[in-house]
Amino acid sequence: MPKVAMPPNFLQQLAELREEVAALRRSGWERDELPFYPTSLHGMVYEDSTSLVTLWETILSPRTATLSLGLVFIGDVVSATNTGGNWQVLANSTDVVASGTVPATFSYQFPALTIDLTPYRALTLLKVQIQVQRTAGATTGGKYGGGGSIGGAPRYARLL
């Protein structure tokens, strides 16, 4: 008696494919997690300078079209005086691709950015920097003696 191969169940295959697509959508389409490295002169992720100073940076190969970047910033409190400032993200050491403020409210700010990397696709290496500066607050005392500080860090960085 010949053996007959049963055709695969179409509905079962369709259900499996739908589950795989749903799992991909839930996980996002991340290609690569990107590490950032601290560069503050104080060796910590706080800076009390009144000019823009790089807190974090990384060098990447721009193989993808987008960098999804989540940041966190907070100002300092010195003798009941809140510190505020500005932040910016530089690409290629000169191009400001995103910027914002750190209000003098002693509350966390969580900017989420999507940076277009297509202008840099021809480069083999691209430097991305996160910079901060203090614009308001105490001018003496604080974490390092030069006044209030601005703290900042990347929460996530994904090449999409």
Side-chain angles (χ1 to χ4, degrees), residues 8-22:
N9 185 338
F10 175 74
L11 293 176
Q12 181 181 359
Q13 286 181 341
L14 182 61
E16 289 172 2
L17 285 174
R18 283 184 176 173
E19 180 56 37
E20 287 178 20
V21 168

Side-chain angles (χ1 to χ4, degrees), residues 10-84:
F10 175 74
L11 293 176
Q12 181 181 359
Q13 286 181 341
L14 182 61
E16 289 172 2
L17 285 174
R18 283 184 176 173
E19 180 56 37
E20 287 178 20
V21 168
L24 284 172
R25 285 184 179 151
R26 283 191 303 271
S27 68
W29 298 93
E30 298 118 25
R31 300 242 196 278
D32 223 350
E33 286 285 333
L34 186 65
F36 272 79
Y37 303 96
T39 59
S40 173
L41 296 174
H42 297 299
M44 296 296 288
V45 293
Y46 291 94
E47 189 55 58
D48 60 5
S49 179
T50 56
S51 59
L52 285 162
V53 175
T54 301
L55 283 184
W56 298 86
E57 70 182 13
T58 193
I59 296 176
L60 63 105
S61 178
R63 314 180 304 275
T64 62
T66 306
L67 171 62
S68 177
L69 187 60
L71 304 172
V72 59
F73 296 103
I74 190 170
D76 201 355
V77 176
V78 178
S79 301
T81 302
N82 292 329
T83 301

Side-chain angles (χ1 to χ4, degrees), residues 58-62 90-93 117 120 123-128:
T58 193
I59 296 176
L60 63 105
S61 178
L90 291 180
N92 207 18
S93 297
L117 296 179
Y120 309 103
L123 300 175
T124 42
L125 298 174
L126 174 65
K127 186 178 194 178
V128 178

Side-chain angles (χ1 to χ4, degrees), residues 123-145:
L123 300 175
T124 42
L125 298 174
L126 174 65
K127 186 178 194 178
V128 178
Q129 298 166 283
I130 301 168
Q131 297 184 329
V132 298
Q133 81 180 100
R134 176 180 51 119
T135 58
T139 56
T140 59
K143 191 167 186 69
Y144 303 112

